[in-house]
Each structure stands twice: as structure tokens, then as C-alpha cells.
Amino acid sequence: MALITLRRNLCHLSDFRIHGALAALKNHPVIHVHKVAEERLCPWFCSPQSEPFKVRFHHGCCKKFHSENGNDLHPVGEQVFSQAHDWDRPEQNLKSVDDQMFYRRLNNFTSSEEVLSFISTLQTLPDTLAAGALQRICEVEKKDGDQKLPKEILKNSVFQALCIRCEQESSSLPDAVLVTALHALTLLHVDPQSSLLLNLVAECQRRLKRGGLEVHSLCILGESLIQLQGPGCATLELIIYQLQGEKLEEFTPEDIVALYRILQACTEKVDQHQAFLNKLNNFSLSIVYSLSPTLMSQMISALVVLDQTQALPLVIKLGKYAVRHIPHFTNEELRKVLEAFIYFGHSDRFFTKALEQHVASVCLTLDPEVVSKVMEYCSRKQILSKPILDAVAETFVCQSEKFLPHQISELIEPFGKLNYLPPNASALFRKLENMLLTHFNYFPPKTLLKILHSCSLIECHPVNFMAKIFSPCFLQKLQGEELYLDKLSLAQLTQLFLTSVLECPFYKGQKLLPKYQVRSFLTPCSSLETPLDFQLYRSVKIGLIDLLGARLYFASKVLTPYCYTIAFSTAGTWQCGRIQNRRRRRRTGA
């Protein structure tokens, strides 16, 4: 196995081609040593003005690099060449690195500087561990969500030498090391046209065509090519074809989820791979119990993107095991899980119970997007969860400035739909009213209408805003570029107008013009009225038939002059009572 020797790089530079590295270091200051290394390695990288910032590599001439002798870690940010050591002393032999110890220490680092400082203290480094170091740098950099590698990392001679080594020794790297290095450099946004990545990709393609790449290497390579060349590259099709020929029993859970991610990137070819997806969905039932929170979130998110509505058994099982992971999901992972359950129409009382406990305990630390998604989940599944609604109401009162207009709408709507007023309702709606008064023009018209309509459903009538939303100016904005207002908006406007007529007689402001009023709240896709409980409706209907003697003596779903729909007409029942009284008088001769 090729080794990276971490102590003889500078000797190959022209400035140090004299007898012995020690003499070179004695003749040149430490600052000059670092400057020479930077001048020789800097051309491998892009100009810092490129956006997004990417690394550009050309042909390298240096295969090795220096490192301090010893195992002590440098403080974060300390220069690699901080001291001049006598590397030629015979008592300082090369040290072998224990793999497990290496990865254990590597995983404890939280910054790229710490990783590179640790690498610089090692005498020798096998290729596998060098690729692992690149992977760890990728992980810690992606945690911050930044899309570019810091310039101080790019200029670090240890990082540069790792990259150069991967480029020049690509043909001798083991399969796992090769694909791991390619994946790490891809995620670090190295320029796809750089000589480094072109060499690595070419070597991967040669080995792929020869066959023999293991499942794990195929999965890593597939995801790397998606990042570099997009889902339409021909090599990706060959990877998927080879993966389909492997036995799923030999896949690890990580490989199964990676395969879902690869297929997720090829949504336009879902029909072509549907038979394999069905096989994959059935097999995945057996590994759900072993999935980590991250893998579970990624799998269920892929099922949404791939529109696997026929995989409901898998979704149900994922929901069952997601219960135990709720406290361990990140904000983004929890959002994806909730989004998937909304998409598939799935709900589970145990999941809801666990979600209640989690939201009630950490709601103030949740992202606004997650909070709004939790409320959307409760709204879509009509889950009247008082712990969730109370916690969300308190969060909005404390952190209202963090929420965007669409998130505020998704947060407020469930209160109206579920007809629930939280204990802090006065503070909640006072905060909402202040936000609307301050930022009225920043709210999209339809979003604003949804919020005000939801408030009216729980008798928090938005009297201060009715004149504005009934004005021709607002209605024109609401209509936008469409020829007509949609029926849902018209129904919401009509209900708000009826509220002002029936329940706010003191309101004397702008009225809604008749042409914007509708006669029914039933819309093609939904209804603004609370849906009937079918079992209760059926019980009442049977009872009335037994009481009155026939179905024709009463009416159901009666539309009143004020456009409200009544489940059963009391007028009809009163009329039936008059008919029965007449029959009774005739029989008695009265």
C-alpha cells in the first residue's frame, strides 16, 4: 500500500536542493519555508474571486510534504511549520498509525484546522487514512452549511499535499480509497474540470467498466457522479445496472439508503426502474429497525420524491420505528419525516404522542420551518393536540420575529381549522395583530386572507383589517394577473363579510361588493365548512326517520340566506310536527 511520507516534501523544492534538510532549514527562516511552499503549491488552486469558491488543480510536481515530528496536537490555527526540527536524526523512525485510534481521534475533531494539525503530527499516513482525513474535512465543513472551502484551508500545505497525492497516485489507490477521496473532494466543491477530479473520475470509470467494484464503492461513486455530472451521465446508468445485479441481502443499511438517494436523483426514469424499486421497497421492510435517524429521514424523503405511494407498508413501518428517533432527529430530518407523512396521508397515535412530548419540551429551539410543518401535520390529519398547539402558540409569542409570512399562515390556520383557542390566546392574537399592522404590505394577499379567515373561525374577528381586504385595491392585488378570483378566495372573503354582518354589527366600514360574494362554500377541491362526522350524521338521520316516520319530513345540508350550511333543517322538523298535529286532531275530531 502506498504511504504518504509526511516529512520530506520541502527537500524536493528548488530552494532546498542542498545537502540535507536540516541545513536547508538552518539557512532559511521559518517564514521563508512557508512562503516557498505556498508559492509552489498555490497555482493548483482557483482565484479567490471565483463564485462559488472552488478548488482548481493542475498537474502536481510534489508528491510528499513535511510534518512536525511527534504526536502532540497543534492548537487550532497554528502554523504547520511552527518549529524547525531535525528530521534526519536516526533515532526518529517512522511511526505506524493504528487505524481505529486514528478514526477515533479524527471523529472527535470539529474543524478542518484540527484535522490538518493532527495529520501534520504524523510521520506516515496510509492512503486509506488520508482519504478518511479528506472525508472528515468534508464533514466538518458541511456542518456549517457553507458552500465554499475557507481560503486558509486551501492554502494549507498539508491539505494541498493530500490532494496532490490523490491525483498522482490514483491508479495505485485501492477501490475504497479512490471513491472515498473522490466523494470527499466532490462535496468540498472542487472544480469538476480540475486535473485532480478528471484523473480520479477517469480512473473510477476504468475500474467500473472492468467490473469488480464492491456495492459500497458503487454507491459512493454514483452519488459523486451525480454531484459532478448530474443525473443524466451515462456512467450513472451503468452503476445502477450493476447495482441491480447485486443481491440486496449483501447491502448494508447505509448502502440501501444510498441506492435510494441515487434513484431519487433520476426521477425522470422512475418508471424504468419501478420493478427494481418495488423489490427494493419490499426488502427495506427488513432493515427499518436498524436505520439511524439520519438514514430513516433520507429513506422516507426519497420515497416522497420517487412518489412511491404503493409502498405504504414501508411508510407505516418507518412511522412505527420513527417514534423512538423523534428526540434524536435534527430539525431538517424531522421536517422531512413530517413532510413525508403529510404526503402519504399517514398518521400514528404513538408518533403523535412522541411528537407532543418532543415539541412541548424543545419548541423554543425548533426552526420556524419545523414548527410550521408540525402545525401543518396536525391540520392535515385533524389532530387536536393541545400540548402541541399550546407550545407553538407560546413559541410564536416569544419568537414571532423569526417567522416568515407563509410560516405564520401555516402556524395560525390550524387554530381556526381545529377550532381551538390556546391559554395565551390574547397574547397570541395581540402579537399577530401588531405584526400585521406593522408589516401589512409584506404579506402576500392570499397568505394574509388565509390568516384573517382563520382568526374569524375562532371568533377573533379581524375588524381592524376588514376595510383593507374589502377595498378594490386589495382585491385587485388578490386577483393578480388572473382573469378571475379563485373560488377558495371568494369563499373566504364571503365568510369574512358575513362575520362582519352577523357577529360584528358595530362594523361600519367598507363592504364586500356583491360580485365577490358566493352562494356556497363548497369548492371543487375543498370546503371551508367543517366536514360532517359521517357516523354522527348517520345516527342523527336514522333517529329523525324513526321519530318523524319518513325521510321526506326533514332536510339535510340546507343552505341558509346567509350562506351557512345547516346539517339538518329545524324548519323542516317544525313543519313535520305541524303535519302530525293536524292528523292527530282529525282522528280525535277536534
Side-chain angles (χ1 to χ4, degrees), residues 79 263 307 309 321-322 347 442 560:
Q79 294 291 344
L263 294 172
D307 192 28
T309 54
Y321 282 91
S347 63
Y442 291 97
T560 68

Side-chain angles (χ1 to χ4, degrees), residues 326-328 353-366 387-388 390-392 395:
I326 284 181
H328 310 293
K353 185 68 176 178
L355 187 64
E356 287 178 345
Q357 297 173 355
H358 180 64
V359 171
S361 61
V362 301
C363 197
L364 291 175
T365 64
L366 292 177
I388 291 178
D390 292 347
V392 170
T395 300

Side-chain angles (χ1 to χ4, degrees), residues 318-377:
L318 285 167
K320 176 182 177 181
Y321 282 91
V323 173
R324 67 179 69 172
H325 293 315
I326 284 181
H328 310 293
F329 283 127
T330 64
N331 284 335
E332 180 64 15
E333 290 167 356
L334 181 58
R335 184 191 65 79
K336 289 181 178 179
V337 170
L338 291 170
E339 196 174 60
F341 287 169
I342 293 171
Y343 181 83
F344 289 110
H346 173 71
S347 63
D348 180 276
R349 62 188 180 93
F350 298 106
F351 179 85
T352 302
K353 185 68 176 178
L355 187 64
E356 287 178 345
Q357 297 173 355
H358 180 64
V359 171
S361 61
V362 301
C363 197
L364 291 175
T365 64
L366 292 177
D367 290 341
E369 190 65 28
V370 180
V371 174
S372 61
K373 193 61 64 176
V374 169
M375 293 297 281
E376 184 182 357
Y377 171 74

